[in-house]
Amino acid sequence: MTADPSDPNGSDPKNSNPPAAPPSSGSGSMGGSGDDDGTAGIDVGSAVLTVRPMEDAKTGGPIVPAAEASPTTLFIFPLKRAVPFPGLMMPVLAEGSRSKEIVEKAQAQGAYLGLLLQRDPEEEAFAAKAFYEVGVLARIHKTIALPNGNMTVICGGMKRFRVERFARTSPYPIAKVTYPPEMNPGGPEVAAIARNIPNLVKSITSKDSAFGEELSMAALNIDNPGMLADFAAAYFIRDPGEKQQVLESFQVLERLRLVHEWLTRDNEMLSLGKRLQDEIKEKIERQQKQFFLREQLKLIRRELGEEKDRESRDREEYEKKIAEAKMPEAALTKAMEELNRLSVVPVESSEYAVVRNYLDWLCAMPWSKSAEEQLDPDRAEKILHEDHYGLDEVKDRIVEYIGVRKLRPDKPGPILCLVGPPGVGKTSLGRSIARATNRPFVRTALGGVRDEAEIRGHRRTYVGALPGRIIQELKNAKVNNPVFLLDEIDKLGSDFRGDPSSALLEVLDPQQNSTFRDHYLDVAVDLSRVLFLTTANYLDSVPGPLRDRLEILEIPGYVTEEKVAIARKYIVPRQVEAHGLTRKDLELPPSTVRAIIEGYTREAGVRTLEKRIEKLARRRALAKARRRKGTLWDAFVKPDELAPLLGPPKFLEDMDRSPKKPGVAVGLAWTPVGGDVLSIEAARWRGKGAFHLTGQLGDVMNESARIAVAYLRANAQMYGLNAEDFDQYDLHVHFPAGATPKDGPSAGITIATAVLSLFRNELMTRGLAMTGELTLTGDVLPIGGVREKVLVAKRFGIRRVVLPELNRADVKELRPHLVKGMKFEYVKSFPDVAKLVLASLRRLPAAPAKDPAGERERTA
């Protein structure tokens, strides 16, 4: 090797002066175990690197190398996991022939050695790209031969170098290097960070027992900022990549910032770990203390004979509860098994609470407790009439059930499903049934339930497991034969957690629910004595297997006369009492109630009507509280006084759905909240025969519209139309209330009527509405929802309704008061409809007779 006499750093002892620090016994380990001489060892694969501040053996002060030129060509000793730093003593363990040859060659050429970190610790071959570019020039002070053939080389780090190029890499690496100067700008930031680093070192050594206090004292005695950063990085930064970044920083400020950032991070991690360790230690000590105190207290009480231990008390308590519960044999066997298990589980164990909770549920179940039923049909009928107006079909079914129950007490109860629009009294009817039969009433809402475990419960293996809603409500009822209402069964959902409707199949089957098994209890529970009621707004979303287990009772919407009677008999007295009034403070005559119904509500039930009457009661209560008589109104409210109190009527203008111009037809529609009157509009203009549909229509209604237009086009001559007009005009059919989705086939004849009225430029007959499915050959097929459609027609003042002939039987099933004052026109084909709705077509020839055999085949 040759030395570079022009190197200014080579003769500057300040740059190579190591930090003064006393040696430590294994403290400040950098990834390895400490040696006996107080150095910190680092495993470097082919060499073990140990770093410590270089000290004079006699004086204890730092060793200052003699001022001489630094060599520009160095033998490179590869380090695999350790990073060297200037100013530190580094014992290097040389293993293998190549490592020892590198040391021997370096000793022969001036005892200088280049310590350089490999990028990949597992790489064995020496290649230029395998090394980082920045390393440390080290002076070999001493070599020690070991008995196993290896060699320990005591090196002293002197200064950083940068590899310019490798002269060769085989059989050992030799590199051309330069020594970039260290840039120390000084200033307050450098001073501040240099002052803070010893504090971080002190904090780390106080929290980590692997570091000794000597390292903290050594850091306090280093005045050079650059050397302080090197010292802290060598001893307290564990990651070789981060150490290499510090080594490659020739800017002192940048080096200090890196070391300060990483020491702060490690200090915070140590603080967090110490806090967690202290919390765990405190918790364990507290539990141990409580355990010993409990044991001592238990022994003291046992010696005094004052009280039994907790295990004995719990066993006696549960033995008493199990005896009082009168469980069936299977449940009793399970309870005794769990009780014996409770005796061997430690009280402090979490399993003890799990077993106790399970026994509590078993003992709280009403295995043998039943409510005393009132099986008097006359009394039940009287109570049902007191609580609800109308609903005769449902009342008759309940009275029939009570009569059968009186003759056959062992017969399982029916599973009734009350289907109807909101606000018609489905839920309140369940309470009335419970009162009529003298049973407790429990209710659970199924709307939005998507987890099967809500019905069947969770297994006890889950933390916080509980029984399902069926068992919970049965426990709350405290009897095994309550009236159980499953509300909104049509709103059940399903997802990855299971299908609740499938779990209800067993619950709502009278042939199976006598052995219902909840996942939590895991014993058979008899539900056959429970009177289950379910409610739904519509049945389309209820799965077929579940619907098959239900006895469907349809509850229609109320007509205006029924709403007036309900309001005067039930709603007004209830709201008067709820607002602290008397009958003398608020009185609503039938004309006023009718005005509220027609002008401020549009519903099949009476829920909105009750809100409007509640608002009147609030206004009257406010006036009475202020003692201002006559400021709002007298107790007797007239129809013309509603506008100042409830605002202008909202629906009076919309009540008249009569067609005002050609191209408009009035139809009847079914919705989940009751019936509705639907005005269908058609318009045309010169074009190329395009057909447009708007109004949020579903696929079925879209097809119905196209079938209606296709039928009229195919039979244009029959209705006095020009078939060429369908090619010369663009046609647009619109369904108002465009934000409301619409679907279904029952608007077929209404669409055809609107288009026929448009092309004939003739107004449709007033006071008439229609519903029916139209086929491509002109037949009118039956539809559903007849009851709801008839009720809404009557509510809107429509007295003539066109229905398919095959729906005649549905009309006959309606109560007489529902169809009072109404006229029904039954049609078999669209020519029959055209004669009724357009005056100019009343002499239209009758439709050709159908082949009876074909008619029977179609009906089948």
Side-chain angles (χ1 to χ4, degrees), residues 528-828:
S528 62
R529 297 173 59 85
V530 179
L531 176 58
F532 282 105
L533 301 175
T534 64
T535 68
N537 294 130
Y538 55 99
L539 293 174
D540 292 347
S541 61
V542 180
L546 182 59
R547 192 187 318 169
D548 185 59
R549 287 164 166 78
L550 305 176
E551 182 178 341
I552 308 299
L553 296 178
E554 294 187 0
I555 301 179
Y558 298 113
V559 296
T560 302
E561 290 77 11
E562 291 177 325
K563 291 183 179 181
V564 172
I566 293 172
R568 289 178 55 78
K569 186 176 180 180
Y570 301 101
I571 298 177
V572 173
R574 182 164 60 242
Q575 293 301 325
V576 165
E577 181 182 357
H579 290 81
L581 303 174
T582 64
R583 294 299 298 267
K584 296 180 180 181
D585 297 320
L586 179 61
E587 184 177 352
L588 301 179
S591 59
T592 302
V593 177
R594 183 181 295 274
I596 296 175
I597 294 170
E598 294 178 351
Y600 296 91
T601 68
R602 174 169 294 172
E603 57 179 346
V606 293
R607 191 166 290 161
T608 306
L609 174 61
E610 184 163 4
K611 292 178 181 178
R612 299 295 176 261
I613 295 176
E614 182 183 3
K615 184 174 182 180
L616 294 177
R618 288 199 306 268
R619 300 291 296 272
R620 187 70 184 105
L622 177 61
K624 184 176 180 180
R626 290 176 172 175
R627 299 181 180 179
R628 298 179 184 177
K629 297 182 178 180
T631 55
L632 293 178
W633 68 79
D634 295 329
F636 190 87
V637 182
K638 300 177 182 179
D640 55 0
E641 296 175 342
L642 292 175
L645 303 172
L646 299 179
K650 301 182 180 353
F651 303 112
L652 283 181
E653 298 89 358
D654 201 27
M655 288 294 291
D656 184 11
R657 295 293 182 89
S658 299
K660 310 260 185 328
K661 58 178 66 176
V664 179
V666 180
L668 299 175
W670 178 92
T671 68
V673 295
D676 194 11
V677 176
L678 195 64
S679 294
I680 300 177
E681 304 170 350
R684 66 172 184 170
W685 59 91
R686 285 285 181 179
K688 297 182 180 180
F691 183 45
H692 307 279
L693 279 171
T694 55
Q696 284 271 37
L697 307 183
D699 293 338
V700 177
M701 186 169 281
N702 198 309
E703 292 175 356
S704 296
R706 298 186 181 278
I707 289 172
V709 175
Y711 168 75
L712 291 177
R713 183 169 185 170
N715 299 275
Q717 185 176 1
M718 179 189 301
Y719 299 103
L721 305 179
N722 185 0
E724 296 179 356
D725 289 347
F726 287 94
D727 295 325
Q728 298 174 358
Y729 287 89
D730 288 351
L731 181 62
H732 186 167
V733 177
H734 175 65
F735 293 73
T740 305
K742 310 169 190 70
D743 203 3
S746 62
I749 63 174
T750 312
I751 300 170
T753 298
V755 176
L756 182 60
S757 170
L758 174 67
F759 277 87
R760 290 187 61 86
N761 195 26
E762 183 176 348
L763 195 66
M764 175 185 160
T765 303
R766 297 176 62 88
L768 181 144
M770 67 192 74
T771 178
E773 180 179 356
L774 179 64
T775 69
L776 202 57
T777 58
D779 291 334
V780 179
L781 302 183
I783 44 83
V786 173
R787 181 181 309 189
E788 288 77 9
K789 294 176 181 179
V790 170
L791 289 178
V792 76
K794 188 172 183 179
R795 190 183 308 138
F796 276 78
I798 299 172
R799 294 294 178 259
R800 293 181 66 194
V801 177
V802 178
L803 291 172
E805 174 66 32
L806 295 177
N807 286 117
R808 186 187 294 268
D810 297 325
V811 177
K812 290 181 179 180
E813 292 180 358
L814 300 178
R815 299 285 180 176
H817 71 278
L818 297 179
V819 297
K820 184 179 179 180
M822 299 191 70
K823 183 178 180 181
F824 297 95
E825 307 284 357
Y826 300 101
V827 296
K828 295 181 179 179

Side-chain angles (χ1 to χ4, degrees), residues 837-859:
V837 298
L838 296 179
S840 63
L841 294 176
R842 289 176 183 172
R843 295 184 179 180
L844 190 69
K850 298 181 177 61
D851 178 26
E855 176 66 21
R856 285 195 300 271
E857 182 181 353
R858 185 187 64 79
T859 305

